[in-house]
Amino acid sequence: MDSADARRTFGGGIAVITGAGAGIGAGLARHAHRLGMTVVLVDVDERAVTKLRDELVADGGTAHVEVCDVRDPDALVALAERVYSDIGPVRLLVNNAGVEQFGYLWDTPVANWNRVMDINVSGVFHGVRAFLPKMITAGTPAWVWNLSSIGGVAAVPLQAPYIVSKHAVLALTECLRLEVELAGHGDLIRVQAVLPGAVKSNIFEAAGGVEDGDDRAAESQREAMLDIKAAAMDPVEAAEVVFEQADRGDFYLLTQPDYVSSAMADRATVLTTRVPPQLRTAQRFDPDKH
């Protein structure tokens, strides 16, 4: 895929990416670097983002490490202040940080539920609240990408907290796009929702489980997701697709357009026909078919 158009749009700008230490966050950072962007790598894992920064700098890029927990709104506000004062105006904000959770909903520890919601949903809100006013004030074209998921248009058993969070992020992003337009900033600020399909990540290994209850069900779902991961898309390839769609002006940015679009169509059918969710045998993701 030719990235020349995306390079003209994004090259030379500053990208702030949360959850940049691994998975699609790292893939987006690597491709942003390839496009000529200065990358601000935000994560709670200092070792991971420091290693990535060193890699990008060694490749001739400019990258900065910011250790920050997106659950902390004050920390995000302080991060935005540092970026704008020390580095410059942000062209691309990627609210990507996210975690998973497996197990029956009634077995899910309250702390695990709160962790998923605080990172996956509130973390996006905190990022928008900290950066968007500054992006508007800067008066230059800018993009906000919020990471939903194919799970944001699906119902999946044994992953309810994650699925709920990604539905919420999609709704948040759709509302935010309308609000930016309503406030008169639609020509300047592009708000877009990223819906990755199966992309290689360590999110399944790091996912929470259950302490009491049916831990076998939780772990069986983890194993099923790890099987999907084995055939998943490379994060840098996924990032390239996302950047190209963003430059084209799409709102829904899909890492595997046919695969994710199929899930979106299934969701639309469920809502229009009002058929209750149906249990289906999990199918292995085959990248050659999508």
Side-chain angles (χ1 to χ4, degrees):
M1 185 179 293
D2 183 7
S3 296
D5 290 340
R7 184 174 293 107
R8 282 191 291 270
T9 298
F10 295 101
I14 296 167
V16 175
I17 304 172
T18 69
I24 194 169
L28 289 166
R30 287 187 171 99
H31 192 62
H33 155 69
R34 291 181 181 180
L35 295 177
M37 302 192 78
T38 293
V39 186
V40 181
L41 308 168
V42 184
D43 207 296
V44 293
D45 187 341
E46 183 174 9
R47 178 179 297 181
V49 284
T50 298
K51 181 179 179 181
L52 180 55
R53 178 201 60 192
D54 293 346
E55 171 195 323
L56 300 183
V57 170
D59 193 44
T62 303
H64 305 267
V65 165
E66 287 286 350
V67 179
C68 182
D69 188 336
V70 298
R71 293 175 289 185
D72 184 344
D74 293 336
L76 265 296
V77 169
L79 170 64
E81 292 286 351
R82 286 196 301 275
V83 170
Y84 272 80
S85 64
D86 299 344
I87 304 173
V90 174
R91 186 171 301 176
L92 173 63
L93 170 67
V94 184
N95 291 305
N96 164 71
V99 294
E100 254 277 22
Q101 170 67 33
F102 296 124
Y104 287 114
L105 186 59
W106 56 87
D107 288 337
T108 301
V110 171
N112 290 23
W113 169 271
N114 289 338
R115 176 174 179 260
V116 172
M117 296 305 151
D118 288 347
I119 295 173
N120 294 14
V121 183
S122 295
V124 174
F125 165 63
H126 298 326
V128 169
R129 180 174 171 271
F131 280 91
L132 186 56
K134 293 182 178 298
M135 297 168 88
I136 292 170
T137 299
T140 55
W143 284 255
V144 177
W145 297 354
N146 296 332
L147 269 285
S148 180
S149 164
I150 189 173
V153 293
V156 182
L158 301 171
Q159 292 177 243
Y162 177 81
I163 297 299
V164 168
S165 75
K166 292 305 181 180
H167 276 255
V169 170
L170 184 56
L172 181 156
T173 309
E174 290 169 336
C175 292
L176 179 64
R177 181 183 177 92
L178 294 174
E179 292 184 4
V180 166
E181 183 178 351
L182 179 64
H185 306 301
D187 292 337
L188 187 70
I189 307 295
R190 284 81 162 181
V191 176
Q192 295 164 310
V194 184
L195 282 75
V199 177
K200 290 188 186 296
S201 168
N202 64 358
I203 193 171
F204 301 135
E205 292 91 336
V210 301
E211 298 165 359
D212 299 307
D214 195 339
D215 61 335
R216 289 179 298 177
E219 292 310 310
S220 70
Q221 187 68 6
R222 189 193 308 272
E223 291 171 5
M225 293 298 101
L226 289 173
D227 285 344
I228 290 174
K229 173 185 173 179
M233 190 176 193
D234 176 80
V236 177
E237 293 178 6
E240 185 174 3
V241 173
V242 167
F243 269 97
E244 291 297 325
Q245 292 175 359
D247 178 64
R248 196 168 62 210
D250 296 357
F251 173 73
Y252 299 100
L253 310 180
L254 317 178
T255 57
Q256 298 103 327
D258 292 343
Y259 173 49
V260 181
S261 292
S262 176
M264 297 171 82
D266 288 346
R267 180 66 178 171
T269 298
V270 166
L271 294 176
T272 55
T273 62
R274 301 192 297 278
V275 175
Q278 304 291 314
L279 278 174
R280 293 188 291 180
T281 303
Q283 296 181 340
R284 182 185 180 90
F285 171 71
D286 184 350
D288 294 330
K289 295 181 180 178
H290 302 283

